Amino acid sequence: MCSLTQLIHRAQLGDAEAADALYASTYPDLCRLARVRLRACSRHTLLDTGALVHESFVRFAESNQLRLEDRTHFMRWASRVMRSVIVDFARRRLAVRRGGGAARVTFDVELAAGPEGALEILGVHHALGQMATIDPRLTQVVEMRYFAGLTEPEIAQALGVTERTVRRDWFKARLILRQALA
Amino acid sequence: MLGLETDRDDWRTLSGLLDQVLDLPAEDRSAWIERLPLQYAHLRNRIRSLLAAADAIAGGGFLHTIPKVDSGMTPIAADEDGLQPGDLVGPYRVIRKLADGGMGAVWLAERADGLVNRPVALKLPRGAWLGAALAERMAEEREILAALNHPHIARLYDAGVASDGQPYLALEYVAGQPIDEFVTSRALSIRDRLQLFLQVTRAVSHAHAHLIVHRDLKPSNILVTDEGEVKLLDFGIAKLLGEGREGGSVTQTARLLTPDYASPEQIAGDALGVATDVYSGGVLLFELLTGVRPYAACGSSRVALQQAVLTLEPPRPSEAATRAPVRRLLRGDLDCIVGKAIRKRPDERYATIDAFAGDIERYLQNRPVLARQDSKWYRLSKGVVRHRIAVAAIVAVFVAIAAGAALATWQARVALIEKDRAEEVRNFLVTLLKDTSPYSGGGRALSALDWLKQARRRIDQRPDLRPELRVELLNLVGASLVNMQDTAGADEVLSQAVAEAAQHLGNAHHQTLRARVLMLSVHRFRGRTAEMRAELAQLLPALRAAGRPLSEDLAIALKNHAHLEIDEGHYHEAERAAQEAVDVSRRELGEHHPETVAALLIRAYAYQFSRDAGEALAAAVNAYDAARVVYRDAPRHPRTIEGRLVYGRALGDAGELTIGVQQLTQAVRDAAEVFGGSSRMVGFFSIPLADFQAETGLVEDAIESSRNALAIIAQHTRPTSFRYAAALRQRGVALLAARRTEEALPDLTAARETLRHTLSASNSVTRWFEADLGLALARAGHHHQAEALLEPLLPADGAAPNPSESKALYVAGVQKRLAGHPAEALRLQRRALAAIDSGRSGELRRMRVLTEIGLALLDLERPNEAITPLEQALTISTQSQLRGGPDRDDILNGLSRARYVPDRGRTVAVPAVQ
């Protein structure tokens, strides 16, 4: 029963409801995967989001909720979800600092250095929110590159453009973001 | 934040420029920026500052990938917010956590600024926040939800998004027990439980009046305070969070609901409405009265429950209750009431929550309960559906009873139905006949038509019936056939009705008048305009004189009158007729009467010709909403489809072409599904659809739609009728828009001929058609003919042109330019432009005139002057979401010509925009 396939297809056509439902199914999965991955490694993990997204797809495909042909579409949606997961992490990271509950924090050099990472993530997230109405494709490229860690060929395939376009988009996006985050 | 305040178009320009400059080697960039033409001057600094970062980025390192995310020492569960008591979320300070569900947490909170001293329940949705534009939805819905002010509804005080992106909903904090626990823990009597339930219905009714359906009524959402006050929670929150939105909710979403309270349509993913809340209310009442849920016996597996809701008949409350005294009390009326609320099919339940509450109140007052008599008809009609032949027999019964004829064979049945029910029987017949439409029978259009034909045959077979009754029944059948788009059938039946009425009842009898009024639509559909006018001239005064009893007929007649006037181009008369129809319907029939909706629709349609786009759009929104409210349980009712059509056209006229086309396309689709792909309605709707498609540059689609329209309309009307001419013209216009001029000519010629015969030569619609023809002739190079045709259409010098005159100015301008007289063309276009600016907004018309001005200036070898109008035209085309097409090509080609700068034999490529 490829219900997720239908959802992706409808979400693609702009059905906001299908998008929400799709979101609701994939978010917990990716979140869980991310957590497991984080726990497995020691404290500072470069979160390999690309691998996570792929792994998530494989799981859905194995449980017959997605067909292999849906991979490309799934990547676009998973990137959005991944963005949400990362941003949530970043927010919580800041909240932990804000709340200041002593028992939770270990005094670690990196921690004491400040939550720049989390702030950068949130900054990009906010900038993307504004960018979305102005240039949706650019926003997607950033989502897929920055948050979901997909490669340029993968992004090109998912969006139906050339790799050169992806590279150029990514470049332009960073020009803007650099100013935005300054 | 940096100019991400730029709007879309500015960015597109900027993006395009960036693409170009980034392609250049670094050392050439400065010079290139310097040489940017004037219209990009304001962007020079932006480009420079953006490029300043280019080197740093090219070197890599900036935003290469997401930074390291410290997992922290505590395991962060997917459902932890990391919030602590005392933290701030938006303007609120959280105090303690009240609950934590899958979709988010709820905290007790208060305003941090101490402005208002009251506790709120702060709901923090989780995860869904990056779903489709939650912030925008909140802004939309907040107004509506905040207006929901009722003692039994927990207020939504505030909704917003905190600075870190966390959305929050501030709700009235209610301390109470869920209603099921409340009634059990206090062992309330049946009456008390019913009274409590009535509080719930009042709250739901209030929300329905505001067009908000709860969709998730269940005990945990209904709290009761210690004082016995009911408070409904989470009203409209489901909609705000996008769960199961109206119309086609997804199975996935339905899975999130507990199936115990979900209605069959929610589980099946069908359209939701008021009846959905009635259902959930019924289940709730079942549980409050019996202590168990209707499908409790089916086990607890989700799938089993869903299946049960969809297919199994639930037990009666009296059967499900466990204690004997309770069973005794529930048997009978309460069984029926609950049963009627939880029917599988929405149209078999109480139509409104008020009706539901009404029956409960009747029960409490020991008055007869409507659900009981309904159950008799319910059983009857269930039997009827199973055997189609039997339907005719039932009709005969009703007819016999209504006629008071006590035929021997029917005596037994007559005895069953008490004498004072005869009136109700007749009313039942009336409703049964009048509301037979495809959508309410779940797509059984065919059988309903057959049913009507049977009914009609039965009437024929009973010449002994009173003439008045015969005519009344024929009128009913005829009206139903009109509703169901069977024009030929309606023509037959109503002609018969008119004939019999005139013969037996006389001209002044109200059934005679009614028959003639109903015939008006048939005349109109068939193109018999002369007859229609004659009838109207006689009918309208008679109906007005008759007063209240014939208000509905007057409204229908006025509606037809308005339609006729629109067809013939007398737009102010149309508006007057429509306005009178609205006034009469509102006054005599009420705001929510179907005829009032019809009147609002025709008025909105008239406004599209007689008023400017803003007013027309407002009227269209009004009418469409009215249709959706009155027909909220039938999203594909013909009137709703009509409303969508009017709305779509109004949107298009107001410049929102893309949405307009979407709405029109949907309307055509709905009409095709409900009435069949070759039904009259589809034909009619395809005409404005083709029109807008042509306007937006979707020329191929326009040709397709107009071909379709013509084919369908040819089946329904004579080739000499106005309708046919309109369809012909539309195809011609579509072909012309695609610049297939030779093919367009015959269509436009024929259309114009028909109009000259059916209307007068001086009629504004005729002139409009002639202007179309003139344009075709000009493009085809038949300049003499074109000039001869256009000359009389032009306004006198100095006179303010009306719409058809300004169109003629434009066409004449094109003709002059194509014939090689650019100065003359320029003069004409400038007049046309002035006319458009001061009249009803028509951005695309402006665009075309501006294009022509530019092209004329180019022909006059003044390219620098040509740039401005051409660029203005380009801006309009982009803003109007034009998707390519010959008009846009004209602009772009014109701009290229204008910008060609002969400079030492080399063309300097100045950035072309998009």
Side-chain angles (χ1 to χ4, degrees):
Chain A
M1 231 281 91
C2 294
S3 53
L4 276 185
T5 310
Q6 291 174 330
L7 280 182
I8 290 183
H9 182 64
R10 276 156 77 161
Q12 211 109 319
L13 295 174
D15 182 346
E17 234 182 293
D20 286 346
L22 190 58
Y23 190 86
S25 336
T26 47
Y27 182 97
D29 217 65
L30 279 169
C31 207
R32 229 176 304 127
L33 286 176
R35 258 198 307 137
V36 164
R37 188 69 60 98
L38 284 174
R39 280 226 203 93
C41 315
S42 60
R43 41 199 108 112
H44 299 299
T45 332
L46 199 62
L47 201 59
D48 184 356
T49 48
L52 288 186
V53 169
H54 290 294
E55 192 176 319
S56 180
F57 174 74
V58 166
R59 285 155 54 86
F60 280 120
E62 275 172 359
S63 64
N64 279 329
Q65 290 184 280
L66 281 178
R67 307 164 305 178
L68 289 174
E69 306 90 87
D70 300 322
R71 196 166 173 287
T72 317
H73 299 304
F74 178 77
M75 286 308 155
R76 289 169 70 170
W77 287 104
S79 308
R80 265 182 111 190
V81 179
M82 205 64 228
R83 171 179 168 188
S84 167
V85 169
I86 300 295
V87 171
D88 280 348
F89 272 4
R91 275 199 316 111
R92 270 182 238 125
R93 178 71 182 73
L94 289 180
V96 165
R97 294 278 301 174
R98 188 182 355 121
R104 301 164 131 225
V105 174
T106 35
F107 290 94
D108 185 288
V109 174
E110 303 287 3
L111 219 66
E116 285 98 4
L119 284 174
E120 177 188 293
I121 289 172
L122 287 178
V124 173
H125 170 62
H126 280 134
L128 280 191
Q130 291 182 287
M131 207 192 279
T133 46
I134 300 171
D135 194 333
R137 196 183 72 214
L138 221 61
T139 313
Q140 274 188 306
V141 169
V142 176
E143 254 179 10
M144 297 175 94
R145 186 86 180 69
Y146 180 75
F147 287 107
L150 299 180
T151 62
E152 275 157 19
E154 283 170 340
I155 300 176
Q157 191 193 23
L159 295 180
V161 297
T162 62
E163 279 181 50
R164 186 176 174 280
T165 308
V166 172
R167 266 196 294 277
R168 173 52 59 80
D169 278 353
W170 179 225
F171 195 80
K172 281 194 287 196
R174 278 181 293 162
L175 286 181
I176 300 177
L177 289 172
R178 192 186 173 78
Q179 280 200 327
L181 296 180
Chain B
M1 191 63 94
L2 124 124
L4 280 175
E5 309 90 50
T6 9
D7 65 359
R8 222 179 318 178
D9 294 304
D10 242 8
W11 168 248
R12 262 194 226 158
T13 315
L14 189 55
S15 183
L17 293 173
L18 276 176
D19 276 332
Q20 299 203 16
V21 74
L22 287 172
D23 275 340
L24 297 174
E27 57 270 18
D28 288 347
R29 286 179 190 165
S30 241
W32 183 90
I33 296 177
E34 278 309 308
R35 280 207 305 271
L36 278 178
L38 227 56
Q39 56 263 38
Y40 304 126
H42 66 291
L43 295 172
R44 281 197 201 126
N45 284 327
R46 292 279 304 281
I47 299 177
R48 283 197 194 101
S49 65
L50 284 172
L51 284 182
D55 291 327
I57 292 176
F62 176 66
L63 285 193
H64 180 63
T65 181
I66 50 166
K68 299 177 182 179
V69 174
D70 188 346
S71 67
M73 289 295 95
T74 16
I76 300 174
D79 55 358
E80 251 184 44
D81 323 285
L83 270 188
Q84 302 277 32
D87 279 350
L88 293 177
V89 177
Y92 296 94
R93 184 185 306 118
V94 299
I95 300 173
R96 71 182 154 84
K97 193 185 268 202
L98 294 172
D100 202 331
M103 295 305 280
V106 184
W107 285 72
L108 179 63
E110 64 189 358
R111 279 195 79 102
D113 52 19
L115 269 180
V116 187
N117 194 6
R118 85 190 148 199
V120 302
L122 201 63
K123 201 165 167 119
L124 304 169
R126 178 184 295 128
W129 58 319
L130 276 185
L134 177 63
E136 278 151 43
R137 276 217 295 276
M138 281 188 149
E140 268 174 48
E141 304 287 352
R142 175 173 42 186
E143 297 296 318
I144 306 171
L145 291 176
L148 213 52
N149 196 354
H150 190 274
H152 297 311
I153 299 181
R155 282 292 296 282
L156 174 73
Y157 292 132
D158 191 8
V161 182
S163 53
D164 65 351
Q166 170 71 55
Y168 60 86
L169 298 153
L171 303 149
E172 182 183 340
Y173 171 65
V174 175
Q177 272 181 301
I179 191 170
D180 55 345
E181 285 175 30
F182 187 85
V183 302
T184 317
S185 66
R186 287 162 206 239
L188 292 183
S189 68
I190 298 267
R191 294 193 88 84
D192 286 339
R193 292 175 196 221
L194 288 172
Q195 291 289 9
L196 217 52
F197 185 73
L198 283 176
Q199 287 188 37
V200 174
T201 59
R202 266 175 240 133
V204 175
S205 168
H206 178 87
H208 286 181
H210 282 86
L211 302 185
I212 297 173
V213 179
H214 191 290
R215 294 194 186 90
D216 198 17
L217 284 172
K218 55 191 179 194
S220 55
N221 270 338
I222 305 175
L223 300 184
V224 188
T225 63
D226 278 341
E227 296 84 43
E229 289 289 305
V230 161
K231 286 276 190 192
L232 264 61
L233 306 179
D234 281 359
F235 238 112
I237 307 291
K239 187 175 182 194
L240 198 62
L241 295 178
E243 297 157 29
R245 229 173 279 154
E246 206 163 291
S249 73
V250 170
T251 323
Q252 200 83 352
T253 319
R255 269 210 249 144
L256 300 171
L257 300 166
T258 39
D260 296 291
Y261 295 92
S263 59
E265 62 268 21
Q266 276 169 311
I267 294 179
D270 287 340
L272 305 184
V274 161
T276 311
D277 277 351
V278 169
Y279 179 90
S280 309
V283 174
L284 177 68
L285 187 57
F286 191 108
E287 192 176 346
L288 291 179
L289 295 175
T290 64
V292 300
R293 294 193 201 131
Y295 303 102
C298 302
S300 55
S301 125
R302 199 176 189 93
V303 175
L305 271 173
Q306 286 183 343
Q307 280 301 97
V309 172
L310 288 172
T311 57
L312 290 184
E313 282 304 316
R316 299 208 195 103
S318 58
E319 291 162 359
T322 44
R323 305 215 329 267
V326 174
R327 298 166 86 113
R328 255 201 311 279
L329 282 171
L330 295 181
R331 209 169 293 147
D333 284 342
L334 286 172
D335 271 346
C336 286
I337 294 177
V338 173
K340 186 170 162 90
I342 60 176
R343 290 248 203 286
K344 308 277 180 222
R345 286 181 40 176
D347 57 351
E348 286 171 7
R349 301 173 201 152
Y350 289 103
T352 62
I353 205 85
D354 283 333
F356 191 4
D359 250 7
I360 295 175
E361 275 162 5
R362 262 177 230 108
Y363 169 79
L364 289 170
Q365 293 159 14
N366 291 315
R367 282 162 51 203
V369 150
L370 294 179
R372 288 206 88 162
Q373 86 191 45
D374 189 68
S375 69
K376 209 181 298 172
W377 298 135
Y378 170 67
R379 267 181 263 122
L380 247 183
S381 64
K382 279 203 113 165
V384 156
V385 163
R386 255 184 261 129
H387 307 285
R388 297 245 192 98
I389 312 296
V391 169
I394 299 292
V395 175
V397 173
F398 296 157
V399 165
I401 291 159
L407 298 170
T409 37
W410 305 125
Q411 259 176 346
R413 300 224 190 152
V414 168
L416 272 180
I417 301 166
E418 297 132 48
K419 285 279 164 55
D420 64 353
R421 294 287 172 93
E423 185 63 20
E424 282 173 350
V425 169
R426 235 166 121 254
N427 287 339
F428 177 70
L429 173 65
V430 165
T431 345
L432 204 58
L433 280 178
K434 208 170 174 189
D435 269 352
T436 43
S437 307
Y439 53 89
S440 73
R444 297 203 292 266
L446 221 51
S447 66
L449 262 177
D450 285 344
W451 197 93
L452 284 170
K453 287 187 178 130
Q454 285 268 44
R456 196 250 170 117
R457 251 175 263 140
R458 269 284 155 174
I459 297 169
D460 280 343
Q461 288 164 9
R462 301 290 313 283
D464 56 301
L465 288 178
R466 282 183 299 132
E468 181 171 354
L469 185 60
R470 283 179 60 84
V471 172
E472 183 171 358
L473 291 170
L474 285 170
N475 281 343
L476 287 170
V477 174
S480 307
L481 288 170
V482 168
N483 254 341
M484 292 175 55
Q485 313 284 306
D486 181 2
T487 314
D491 201 349
E492 258 186 70
V493 172
L494 289 171
S495 299
Q496 187 183 341
V498 170
E500 289 195 23
Q503 188 182 23
H504 298 289
L505 304 176
N507 285 333
H509 195 281
H510 77 266
Q511 287 298 340
T512 316
L513 292 172
R514 172 158 299 176
R516 289 167 70 190
V517 167
L518 292 170
M519 256 319 253
L520 288 172
S521 321
V522 177
H523 288 315
R524 185 162 59 88
F525 296 149
R526 300 233 136 181
R528 306 196 282 245
T529 46
E531 292 169 66
M532 195 178 165
R533 276 219 181 272
E535 282 289 274
L536 279 168
Q538 291 189 7
L539 285 171
L540 287 174
L543 291 170
R544 285 186 190 116
R548 172 164 289 205
L550 292 180
S551 311
E552 196 175 338
D553 304 279
L554 177 58
I556 297 174
L558 286 165
K559 206 186 47 170
N560 275 294
H561 185 201
H563 264 299
L564 178 62
E565 300 295 10
I566 291 176
D567 283 351
E568 305 211 329
H570 308 130
Y571 302 125
H572 292 288
E573 281 85 346
E575 191 185 310
R576 267 205 297 274
Q579 185 61 48
E580 196 186 336
V582 170
D583 292 335
V584 167
S585 323
R586 270 204 179 124
R587 195 177 59 230
E588 308 290 357
L589 304 172
E591 191 69 37
H592 296 301
H593 191 279
E595 282 311 321
T596 310
V597 170
L600 287 169
L601 283 171
I602 188 68
R603 186 178 69 173
Y605 186 40
Y607 273 26
Q608 285 174 359
F609 300 95
S610 62
R611 302 277 183 114
D612 73 40
E615 288 180 88
L617 183 57
V621 169
N622 201 6
Y624 184 36
D625 276 344
R628 287 193 303 176
V629 168
V630 171
Y631 297 106
R632 67 170 83 84
D633 295 329
R636 290 211 224 105
H637 191 285
R639 294 248 162 84
T640 313
I641 301 180
E642 248 187 86
R644 202 190 271 279
L645 173 75
V646 168
Y647 179 48
R649 287 187 51 150
L651 282 169
D653 282 342
E656 292 291 339
L657 281 165
T658 306
I659 317 179
V661 166
Q662 277 174 13
Q663 291 288 346
L664 287 173
T665 311
Q666 184 65 42
V668 170
R669 225 180 272 140
D670 284 347
E673 206 171 308
V674 171
F675 297 109
S678 57
S679 63
R680 182 179 55 79
M681 216 178 198
V682 172
F684 285 166
F685 286 8
S686 298
I687 295 182
L689 177 61
D691 203 21
F692 280 0
Q693 283 167 332
E695 292 273 278
T696 42
L698 299 165
V699 288
E700 291 309 316
D701 290 345
I703 295 175
E704 173 76 39
S705 300
S706 60
R707 274 216 185 103
N708 199 22
L710 190 58
I712 292 173
I713 287 174
Q715 292 172 27
H716 293 274
T717 72
R718 310 175 289 199
T720 46
S721 74
F722 171 77
R723 296 261 155 229
Y724 188 83
L728 209 53
R729 175 217 168 229
Q730 193 56 58
R731 190 174 69 179
V733 162
L735 287 164
L736 195 58
R739 305 293 165 92
R740 287 157 64 167
T741 315
E742 289 305 323
E743 294 173 66
L745 268 174
D747 281 347
L748 292 172
T749 312
R752 180 224 177 189
E753 277 314 301
T754 307
L755 244 69
R756 275 165 63 98
H757 287 124
T758 55
L759 304 177
S760 70
S762 58
N763 184 290
S764 58
V765 180
T766 314
R767 286 164 171 245
W768 199 270
F769 280 32
E770 283 182 336
D772 290 325
L773 179 58
L775 185 57
L777 287 167
R779 287 207 193 277
H782 305 308
H783 291 294
H784 289 304
Q785 289 181 54
E787 276 174 29
L789 182 61
L790 292 168
E791 187 56 44
L793 301 179
L794 298 173
D797 272 335
N802 62 36
S804 62
E805 284 171 342
S806 63
K807 178 173 175 176
L809 283 169
Y810 163 74
V811 174
V814 175
Q815 187 270 321
K816 292 293 177 205
R817 182 176 64 81
L818 291 173
H821 307 301
E824 189 59 25
L826 192 58
R827 195 180 63 81
L828 288 163
Q829 295 298 357
R830 287 228 164 94
R831 280 190 75 192
L833 187 64
I836 296 174
D837 278 339
S838 62
R840 185 176 152 211
S841 76
E843 281 303 291
L844 286 173
R845 282 197 283 278
R846 273 190 77 220
M847 178 192 81
R848 293 192 184 99
V849 171
L850 285 166
T851 311
E852 281 294 315
I853 290 178
L855 294 176
L857 285 165
L858 281 171
D859 282 351
L860 288 168
E861 301 191 0
R862 288 146 66 177
N864 292 332
E865 291 176 61
I867 291 185
T868 305
L870 286 170
E871 289 200 336
Q872 284 176 335
L874 188 64
T875 307
I876 296 177
S877 86
T878 314
Q879 280 171 352
S880 302
Q881 306 140 1
L882 221 62
R883 325 269 194 86
D887 287 336
R888 200 170 145 87
D889 288 341
D890 278 347
I891 303 173
L892 294 171
N893 288 335
L895 276 171
S896 307
R897 281 172 60 195
R899 288 188 183 130
Y900 172 70
V901 175
D903 179 358
R904 283 183 260 142
R906 169 174 74 109
T907 313
V908 171
V910 176
V913 181
Q914 192 77 7

